[in-house]
Amino acid sequence: MIERLELVEKRFEEINELLMNPEVISDVKKSRELAIELSTIEDTVKCFREYRSVLNDLEEANLMLEDKDLADFASEEIENLSSRKIDLEHELEKLLIPKDKNDVKNALMEIRGAAGGDEGNIFAGDLFRMYEKYAVKSGFQVEVLNAVDGASGGYTLIEFMVKGKNVYSKLKYESGSHRVQRIPTTEANGRIQTSTATVLVMPEADDIEVDIKESDIRVDIYRSSGAGGQHVNTTDSAVRMTHIPTGIVVTCQNERSQIKNREMAFKILKSRVYEEMVAREEAENGAIRRSKIGTGDRSEKIRTYNYPQNRVTDHRIGFTTKQLDRVMEGDMDEIIEALIDEDQKRKLAGE
Protein backbone atom coordinates (compact mmCIF):
# COMPACT_ATOMS: atom_id res chain seq x y z
CA MET A 1 0.00 0.00 0.00
CA ILE A 2 2.85 2.39 0.83
CA GLU A 3 4.38 1.91 -2.63
CA ARG A 4 1.07 2.74 -4.28
CA LEU A 5 0.65 5.81 -2.10
CA GLU A 6 4.15 7.01 -2.93
CA LEU A 7 3.34 6.73 -6.64
CA VAL A 8 0.14 8.74 -6.11
CA GLU A 9 2.09 11.41 -4.22
CA LYS A 10 4.71 11.55 -6.98
CA ARG A 11 1.98 12.00 -9.57
CA PHE A 12 0.42 14.74 -7.44
CA GLU A 13 3.70 16.65 -7.42
CA GLU A 14 4.16 16.11 -11.18
CA ILE A 15 0.72 17.53 -11.94
CA ASN A 16 1.36 20.60 -9.79
CA GLU A 17 4.54 21.24 -11.75
CA LEU A 18 2.80 20.70 -15.09
CA LEU A 19 0.04 23.14 -14.17
CA MET A 20 2.68 25.86 -13.81
CA ASN A 21 4.09 25.13 -17.27
CA PRO A 22 3.10 27.90 -19.77
CA GLU A 23 2.61 25.34 -22.57
CA VAL A 24 0.16 23.35 -20.45
CA ILE A 25 -1.62 26.49 -19.24
CA SER A 26 -2.23 27.52 -22.86
CA ASP A 27 -3.75 24.09 -23.64
CA VAL A 28 -7.27 24.36 -22.19
CA LYS A 29 -8.12 20.69 -22.66
CA LYS A 30 -4.87 19.41 -21.13
CA SER A 31 -4.95 21.80 -18.17
CA ARG A 32 -8.56 20.89 -17.42
CA GLU A 33 -7.79 17.16 -17.54
CA LEU A 34 -4.85 17.65 -15.18
CA ALA A 35 -6.90 19.80 -12.80
CA ILE A 36 -9.57 17.09 -12.62
CA GLU A 37 -6.94 14.40 -12.01
CA LEU A 38 -5.36 16.55 -9.29
CA SER A 39 -8.67 16.97 -7.49
CA THR A 40 -9.27 13.19 -7.50
CA ILE A 41 -5.97 12.38 -5.73
CA GLU A 42 -5.65 15.45 -3.48
CA ASP A 43 -7.46 13.86 -0.51
CA THR A 44 -5.38 10.68 -0.85
CA VAL A 45 -2.11 12.61 -0.73
CA LYS A 46 -3.28 14.69 2.23
CA CYS A 47 -4.28 11.55 4.16
CA PHE A 48 -1.01 9.78 3.25
CA ARG A 49 1.07 12.71 4.48
CA GLU A 50 -0.78 12.69 7.79
CA TYR A 51 -0.27 8.91 8.01
CA ARG A 52 3.46 9.29 7.42
CA SER A 53 3.59 12.01 10.08
CA VAL A 54 1.85 9.68 12.57
CA LEU A 55 4.39 6.93 11.80
CA ASN A 56 7.25 9.34 12.51
CA ASP A 57 5.61 10.48 15.75
CA LEU A 58 5.15 6.85 16.81
CA GLU A 59 8.83 6.16 16.21
CA GLU A 60 9.80 9.15 18.35
CA ALA A 61 7.35 8.17 21.11
CA ASN A 62 8.83 4.68 21.27
CA LEU A 63 12.30 6.19 21.73
CA MET A 64 10.93 8.34 24.57
CA LEU A 65 9.94 5.19 26.46
CA GLU A 66 13.61 4.72 27.30
CA ASP A 67 13.52 7.94 29.35
CA LYS A 68 11.93 7.17 32.74
CA ASP A 69 10.76 10.76 33.18
CA LEU A 70 8.91 10.68 29.85
CA ALA A 71 7.72 7.05 29.85
CA ASP A 72 4.16 7.74 31.05
CA PHE A 73 3.68 10.56 28.56
CA ALA A 74 5.17 8.40 25.79
CA SER A 75 2.82 5.48 26.58
CA GLU A 76 -0.22 7.75 26.32
CA GLU A 77 1.06 9.21 23.02
CA ILE A 78 1.67 5.73 21.62
CA GLU A 79 -1.88 4.67 22.48
CA ASN A 80 -3.40 7.73 20.79
CA LEU A 81 -1.12 7.56 17.76
CA SER A 82 -1.71 3.83 17.29
CA SER A 83 -5.46 4.41 17.23
CA ARG A 84 -5.06 7.23 14.70
CA LYS A 85 -2.76 5.04 12.58
CA ILE A 86 -5.45 2.34 12.30
CA ASP A 87 -8.11 4.91 11.36
CA LEU A 88 -5.87 6.40 8.67
CA GLU A 89 -5.05 2.96 7.26
CA HIS A 90 -8.76 2.23 6.83
CA GLU A 91 -9.27 5.63 5.21
CA LEU A 92 -6.35 5.10 2.84
CA GLU A 93 -7.73 1.71 1.78
CA LYS A 94 -10.94 3.45 0.70
CA LEU A 95 -9.09 6.29 -1.00
CA LEU A 96 -7.06 3.84 -3.07
CA ILE A 97 -10.21 2.32 -4.57
CA PRO A 98 -10.23 3.25 -8.30
CA LYS A 99 -12.33 6.37 -8.65
CA ASP A 100 -15.08 7.20 -11.09
CA LYS A 101 -13.67 10.11 -13.10
CA ASN A 102 -17.16 11.62 -13.16
CA ASP A 103 -17.44 11.84 -9.35
CA VAL A 104 -16.13 15.42 -9.28
CA LYS A 105 -18.75 16.65 -11.75
CA ASN A 106 -22.12 18.34 -11.42
CA ALA A 107 -25.14 16.06 -11.84
CA LEU A 108 -27.92 16.37 -14.39
CA MET A 109 -31.07 14.80 -12.99
CA GLU A 110 -34.36 13.87 -14.61
CA ILE A 111 -37.49 12.83 -12.72
CA ARG A 112 -40.62 11.49 -14.46
CA GLY A 113 -44.00 10.59 -13.05
CA ALA A 114 -44.55 6.91 -13.93
CA ALA A 115 -47.13 4.39 -12.68
CA GLY A 116 -50.08 5.84 -10.79
CA GLY A 117 -51.21 8.64 -13.10
CA ASP A 118 -51.65 11.93 -11.26
CA GLU A 119 -50.24 10.48 -8.04
CA GLY A 120 -47.06 9.42 -9.88
CA ASN A 121 -46.63 13.02 -11.06
CA ILE A 122 -47.29 14.39 -7.57
CA PHE A 123 -44.67 12.00 -6.18
CA ALA A 124 -42.21 13.17 -8.88
CA GLY A 125 -42.72 16.68 -7.48
CA ASP A 126 -42.10 15.41 -3.94
CA LEU A 127 -38.84 13.76 -5.03
CA PHE A 128 -37.69 16.95 -6.75
CA ARG A 129 -38.31 18.95 -3.55
CA MET A 130 -36.46 16.28 -1.54
CA TYR A 131 -33.38 16.58 -3.77
CA GLU A 132 -33.66 20.37 -3.81
CA LYS A 133 -33.69 20.50 0.02
CA TYR A 134 -30.79 18.03 0.19
CA ALA A 135 -28.83 20.22 -2.23
CA VAL A 136 -29.44 23.37 -0.15
CA LYS A 137 -28.35 21.60 3.06
CA SER A 138 -25.22 20.31 1.30
CA GLY A 139 -24.25 23.72 -0.06
CA PHE A 140 -25.09 22.76 -3.65
CA GLN A 141 -27.06 24.80 -6.19
CA VAL A 142 -30.06 23.66 -8.23
CA GLU A 143 -30.85 24.97 -11.70
CA VAL A 144 -34.13 23.83 -13.29
CA LEU A 145 -33.58 23.28 -17.01
CA ASN A 146 -36.96 21.98 -18.10
CA ALA A 147 -40.26 21.18 -16.38
CA VAL A 148 -43.64 19.92 -17.54
CA ASP A 149 -46.30 20.37 -14.86
CA GLY A 150 -48.72 17.58 -13.95
CA ALA A 151 -52.44 18.34 -14.27
CA SER A 152 -53.03 17.73 -10.52
CA GLY A 153 -49.66 18.93 -9.27
CA GLY A 154 -46.08 17.72 -9.39
CA TYR A 155 -44.43 17.03 -12.73
CA THR A 156 -44.78 14.64 -15.60
CA LEU A 157 -41.14 15.56 -16.24
CA ILE A 158 -38.55 17.80 -14.58
CA GLU A 159 -34.89 18.11 -15.57
CA PHE A 160 -32.43 20.02 -13.41
CA MET A 161 -28.73 20.47 -12.73
CA VAL A 162 -27.24 20.09 -9.23
CA LYS A 163 -23.96 22.03 -9.01
CA GLY A 164 -21.20 21.82 -6.41
CA LYS A 165 -18.10 19.91 -5.33
CA ASN A 166 -18.30 16.15 -6.02
CA VAL A 167 -22.07 16.30 -6.55
CA TYR A 168 -22.18 13.32 -8.90
CA SER A 169 -20.36 11.12 -6.35
CA LYS A 170 -23.26 11.71 -3.94
CA LEU A 171 -26.23 11.46 -6.29
CA LYS A 172 -25.16 8.84 -8.85
CA TYR A 173 -26.85 6.03 -6.89
CA GLU A 174 -30.29 7.67 -7.23
CA SER A 175 -31.03 6.40 -10.76
CA GLY A 176 -33.91 3.97 -10.83
CA SER A 177 -37.58 3.53 -10.02
CA HIS A 178 -38.75 5.08 -6.73
CA ARG A 179 -42.00 3.68 -5.29
CA VAL A 180 -44.36 5.46 -2.91
CA GLN A 181 -47.04 3.85 -0.72
CA ARG A 182 -49.59 6.27 0.73
CA ILE A 183 -53.18 7.48 0.59
CA PRO A 184 -53.20 9.91 -2.34
CA THR A 185 -55.00 13.24 -2.16
CA THR A 186 -56.75 12.04 -5.32
CA GLU A 187 -58.12 8.92 -3.55
CA ALA A 188 -61.68 9.44 -2.36
CA ASN A 189 -62.00 6.13 -0.43
CA GLY A 190 -58.87 6.53 1.73
CA ARG A 191 -57.09 3.48 0.33
CA ILE A 192 -53.31 3.13 0.25
CA GLN A 193 -52.04 3.26 -3.31
CA THR A 194 -48.64 2.41 -4.80
CA SER A 195 -47.27 4.80 -7.40
CA THR A 196 -43.85 5.31 -8.94
CA ALA A 197 -41.59 7.97 -10.34
CA THR A 198 -38.34 7.31 -12.19
CA VAL A 199 -35.04 9.13 -11.62
CA LEU A 200 -32.11 9.35 -14.01
CA VAL A 201 -28.76 10.86 -12.92
CA MET A 202 -26.04 11.77 -15.42
CA PRO A 203 -22.70 13.55 -15.03
CA GLU A 204 -22.60 16.99 -16.63
CA ALA A 205 -20.62 16.94 -19.86
CA ASP A 206 -18.60 19.81 -21.26
CA ASP A 207 -17.46 20.80 -24.73
CA ILE A 208 -14.06 19.20 -24.24
CA GLU A 209 -15.56 15.74 -23.59
CA VAL A 210 -18.38 15.96 -26.12
CA ASP A 211 -17.76 17.65 -29.44
CA ILE A 212 -21.22 18.08 -30.96
CA LYS A 213 -21.15 19.49 -34.46
CA GLU A 214 -23.82 21.95 -35.48
CA SER A 215 -24.53 19.83 -38.56
CA ASP A 216 -25.40 16.89 -36.26
CA ILE A 217 -28.25 18.75 -34.57
CA ARG A 218 -31.76 19.37 -35.83
CA VAL A 219 -33.64 22.11 -33.99
CA ASP A 220 -37.43 22.45 -34.14
CA ILE A 221 -39.23 25.45 -32.69
CA TYR A 222 -42.85 25.19 -31.55
CA ARG A 223 -45.36 26.76 -29.20
CA SER A 224 -45.15 25.77 -25.52
CA SER A 225 -47.93 23.70 -24.03
CA GLY A 226 -48.64 22.53 -20.52
CA ALA A 227 -51.20 22.15 -17.79
CA GLY A 228 -52.48 25.68 -18.25
CA GLY A 229 -50.03 27.36 -15.89
CA GLN A 230 -47.42 30.03 -16.27
CA HIS A 231 -45.28 28.06 -18.73
CA VAL A 232 -47.81 28.32 -21.57
CA ASN A 233 -46.61 30.94 -24.02
CA THR A 234 -48.29 32.76 -26.86
CA THR A 235 -45.12 32.74 -28.99
CA ASP A 236 -43.05 29.99 -30.58
CA SER A 237 -40.30 29.65 -27.96
CA ALA A 238 -40.21 25.93 -27.11
CA VAL A 239 -37.23 24.00 -28.50
CA ARG A 240 -36.91 20.40 -29.59
CA MET A 241 -33.29 19.38 -30.23
CA THR A 242 -32.38 16.10 -31.98
CA HIS A 243 -28.87 14.68 -32.11
CA ILE A 244 -28.99 12.97 -35.50
CA PRO A 245 -26.12 10.42 -35.03
CA THR A 246 -27.61 8.94 -31.83
CA GLY A 247 -31.28 9.82 -32.25
CA ILE A 248 -31.35 11.44 -28.79
CA VAL A 249 -34.14 14.02 -28.49
CA VAL A 250 -34.52 16.67 -25.80
CA THR A 251 -37.11 19.41 -25.40
CA CYS A 252 -37.17 22.60 -23.38
CA GLN A 253 -40.07 25.03 -22.96
CA ASN A 254 -39.50 26.43 -19.50
CA GLU A 255 -38.26 29.87 -20.51
CA ARG A 256 -40.15 32.54 -22.44
CA SER A 257 -37.01 33.17 -24.49
CA GLN A 258 -36.28 30.82 -27.39
CA ILE A 259 -32.55 31.57 -26.97
CA LYS A 260 -32.66 30.54 -23.29
CA ASN A 261 -34.57 27.35 -24.13
CA ARG A 262 -31.94 26.51 -26.76
CA GLU A 263 -29.21 26.96 -24.16
CA MET A 264 -30.97 24.73 -21.64
CA ALA A 265 -31.76 22.06 -24.25
CA PHE A 266 -28.13 21.96 -25.38
CA LYS A 267 -26.93 21.42 -21.78
CA ILE A 268 -29.23 18.42 -21.47
CA LEU A 269 -28.30 17.11 -24.92
CA LYS A 270 -24.55 17.20 -24.17
CA SER A 271 -24.98 15.16 -21.00
CA ARG A 272 -27.25 12.64 -22.74
CA VAL A 273 -24.78 12.18 -25.60
CA TYR A 274 -21.92 11.81 -23.10
CA GLU A 275 -23.94 9.22 -21.17
CA GLU A 276 -24.52 7.31 -24.39
CA MET A 277 -20.79 7.41 -25.21
CA VAL A 278 -19.85 6.09 -21.76
CA ALA A 279 -22.49 3.33 -21.99
CA ARG A 280 -21.12 2.16 -25.34
CA GLU A 281 -17.51 2.17 -24.13
CA GLU A 282 -18.40 0.16 -21.05
CA ALA A 283 -20.49 -2.29 -23.09
CA GLU A 284 -17.55 -2.84 -25.44
CA ASN A 285 -15.21 -3.42 -22.50
CA GLY A 286 -17.68 -5.70 -20.74
CA ALA A 287 -17.78 -3.34 -17.75
CA ILE A 288 -20.70 -2.94 -15.37
CA ARG A 289 -22.12 0.54 -15.56
CA ARG A 290 -21.21 3.06 -12.87
CA SER A 291 -21.34 1.21 -9.58
CA LYS A 292 -22.10 -2.29 -8.40
CA ILE A 293 -24.87 -0.76 -6.29
CA GLY A 294 -27.66 -1.36 -8.78
CA THR A 295 -27.57 -1.19 -12.56
CA GLY A 296 -28.30 2.53 -12.92
CA ASP A 297 -31.22 1.68 -15.21
CA ARG A 298 -34.31 3.81 -14.82
CA SER A 299 -36.53 0.72 -14.70
CA GLU A 300 -34.79 -0.89 -11.70
CA LYS A 301 -36.83 -0.64 -8.48
CA ILE A 302 -34.42 0.84 -5.97
CA ARG A 303 -36.37 2.39 -3.12
CA THR A 304 -39.78 2.40 -1.41
CA TYR A 305 -41.20 5.35 0.56
CA ASN A 306 -43.91 4.03 2.88
CA TYR A 307 -45.83 6.95 4.39
CA PRO A 308 -48.18 5.05 6.81
CA GLN A 309 -45.13 3.51 8.53
CA ASN A 310 -42.84 6.55 8.05
CA ARG A 311 -40.33 4.15 6.47
CA VAL A 312 -37.82 4.32 3.61
CA THR A 313 -36.21 1.12 2.29
CA ASP A 314 -33.40 0.91 -0.23
CA HIS A 315 -33.81 -2.54 -1.78
CA ARG A 316 -30.32 -2.74 -3.30
CA ILE A 317 -28.52 -2.83 0.03
CA GLY A 318 -31.33 -3.77 2.42
CA PHE A 319 -31.14 -0.42 4.20
CA THR A 320 -34.19 0.83 6.13
CA THR A 321 -34.83 3.97 8.15
CA LYS A 322 -38.03 4.96 9.92
CA GLN A 323 -37.46 8.65 9.34
CA LEU A 324 -39.28 9.17 6.06
CA ASP A 325 -40.50 12.59 7.19
CA ARG A 326 -36.91 13.78 7.66
CA VAL A 327 -35.71 12.18 4.41
CA MET A 328 -38.38 14.05 2.43
CA GLU A 329 -37.09 17.25 4.06
CA GLY A 330 -33.69 16.60 2.48
CA ASP A 331 -31.99 14.67 5.31
CA MET A 332 -30.59 12.09 2.90
CA ASP A 333 -27.04 11.78 4.23
CA GLU A 334 -27.70 8.52 6.10
CA ILE A 335 -29.01 6.78 2.96
CA ILE A 336 -26.33 8.21 0.67
CA GLU A 337 -23.50 7.33 3.06
CA ALA A 338 -24.87 3.78 3.43
CA LEU A 339 -24.80 3.37 -0.36
CA ILE A 340 -21.26 4.77 -0.63
CA ASP A 341 -20.04 2.54 2.23
CA GLU A 342 -21.57 -0.58 0.68
CA ASP A 343 -20.07 0.26 -2.71
CA GLN A 344 -16.63 0.70 -1.12
CA LYS A 345 -16.96 -2.60 0.80
CA ARG A 346 -17.76 -4.49 -2.37
CA LYS A 347 -14.87 -2.91 -4.24
CA LEU A 348 -12.46 -3.63 -1.38
CA ALA A 349 -13.67 -7.24 -1.39
CA GLY A 350 -12.97 -7.36 -5.13
CA GLU A 351 -16.53 -8.24 -6.09
Side-chain angles (χ1 to χ4, degrees), residues 245-263:
T246 60
I248 293 171
V249 180
V250 301
T251 61
C252 192
Q253 60 175 14
N254 238 41
E255 303 292 333
R256 297 187 181 279
S257 160
Q258 183 190 127
I259 294 172
K260 193 70 175 173
N261 281 331
R262 274 176 176 263
E263 182 186 321

Side-chain angles (χ1 to χ4, degrees), residues 133-240:
K133 289 174 180 178
Y134 168 73
V136 170
K137 290 180 179 182
S138 302
F140 304 149
Q141 293 178 314
V142 174
E143 178 187 13
V144 176
L145 303 176
N146 186 40
V148 181
D149 297 334
S152 300
Y155 303 99
T156 60
L157 165 69
I158 182 164
E159 293 166 295
F160 55 99
M161 190 79 74
V162 185
K163 302 177 179 180
K165 185 179 180 182
N166 299 324
V167 168
Y168 185 71
S169 71
K170 302 286 187 183
L171 293 172
K172 65 181 178 180
Y173 304 101
E174 294 302 301
S175 287
S177 177
H178 295 240
R179 185 174 68 166
V180 63
Q181 294 175 326
R182 64 184 177 190
I183 301 170
T185 54
T186 54
E187 171 60 54
N189 297 318
R191 292 174 297 187
I192 293 173
Q193 180 178 317
T194 300
S195 304
T196 61
T198 61
V199 176
L200 181 64
V201 186
M202 297 169 283
E204 181 186 20
D206 56 37
D207 296 331
I208 293 170
E209 293 167 315
V210 182
D211 182 20
I212 298 180
K213 298 175 183 175
E214 219 172 292
S215 58
D216 287 340
I217 301 175
R218 184 177 72 244
V219 179
D220 300 308
I221 308 300
Y222 61 99
R223 187 157 297 180
S224 297
S225 61
Q230 61 179 338
H231 301 303
V232 178
N233 293 332
T234 55
T235 58
D236 293 338
S237 62
V239 173
R240 181 185 299 110

Side-chain angles (χ1 to χ4, degrees), residues 20 38 110 279:
M20 291 187 286
L38 188 73
E110 174 200 281

Side-chain angles (χ1 to χ4, degrees), residues 313-333:
T313 300
D314 194 290
H315 305 290
R316 297 163 295 179
I317 60 173
F319 175 86
T320 296
T321 177
K322 292 201 170 183
Q323 296 182 329
L324 169 63
D325 51 344
R326 292 181 59 182
V327 170
M328 298 310 292
E329 287 299 312
D331 290 340
M332 297 182 64
D333 286 323

Side-chain angles (χ1 to χ4, degrees), residues 90-109:
H90 290 157
E91 184 64 23
L92 286 167
E93 283 181 348
K94 292 179 182 179
L95 287 167
L96 282 173
I97 295 170
K99 290 180 176 59
D100 182 344
K101 66 178 182 178
N102 293 317
D103 279 353
V104 298
K105 295 183 180 180
N106 298 328
L108 174 66
M109 299 187 69

